[in-house]
Amino acid sequence: MAEHPQAMLIRKGYDAFSRGDLDILRGAMAADATYHVPGSHPLSGDFKGRDAVIDMYRRLLEETNGTLRLEPRQILADGRGHVVALHHLTAERRGKRLEEDGCVVFRIVGDKITDLDECVVDIDEDNDFWS
């Protein structure tokens, strides 16, 4: 059975992120896309607008000197504009290492990502790593 087109969109996004291709990610998002990052660290909060989301991705890559890796483990699409991507994350920053499972809940309208909600396993570990 072929993968759902919305799941394929998200898989292509993970692939683009792993290559640092922010232009492909920009093209996959609606202009008013919002990314919700949990926590109380400097890179948490709501990033409103495609440019703000892309800038946040750029900062993640810079803060980790390119060590941030997201490996998609499973991508689930309901065919109604909701996709959940389960992934494994590894990153190094300022002598610290982060390795955890997480997910992003995507909302898609047409063929564009409009909303991204990130979920993490251990919010305290994330806050410590990114602070």
Side-chain angles (χ1 to χ4, degrees), residues 2 9 11 14 24 27-29 38 47 49 84-85 90 98 100 109 111-113 115-116 121:
L9 173 69
R11 188 172 306 284
Y14 271 89
I24 286 180
M29 288 183 212
F47 297 85
V84 176
T90 58
L98 181 64
E100 68 178 358
V109 175
D111 63 350
K112 298 291 184 186
I113 299 166
D115 198 69
L116 307 90
V121 171

Side-chain angles (χ1 to χ4, degrees), residues 54-127:
I54 296 299
D55 186 57
M56 185 268 296
Y57 287 160
R58 181 190 53 73
R59 289 180 58 202
L60 291 174
L61 294 169
E62 286 176 358
E63 287 286 329
T64 61
N65 292 319
T67 64
L68 178 62
R69 298 284 181 262
L70 288 169
E71 177 189 334
R73 297 281 171 94
Q74 192 168 18
I75 298 176
L76 310 168
D78 70 359
R80 299 178 303 123
H82 304 98
V83 177
V84 176
L86 306 169
H87 60 250
H88 186 74
L89 177 147
T90 58
E92 295 178 10
R93 179 177 180 267
R94 298 182 183 172
K96 299 177 188 174
R97 179 167 173 78
L98 181 64
E99 184 168 348
E100 68 178 358
D101 293 322
C103 79
V104 177
V105 179
F106 296 87
R107 284 158 193 84
I108 300 170
V109 175
D111 63 350
K112 298 291 184 186
I113 299 166
T114 62
D115 198 69
L116 307 90
D117 279 311
E118 183 178 329
C119 300
V120 297
V121 171
D122 187 337
I123 195 71
D124 293 329
E125 184 179 21
D126 271 40
N127 285 333

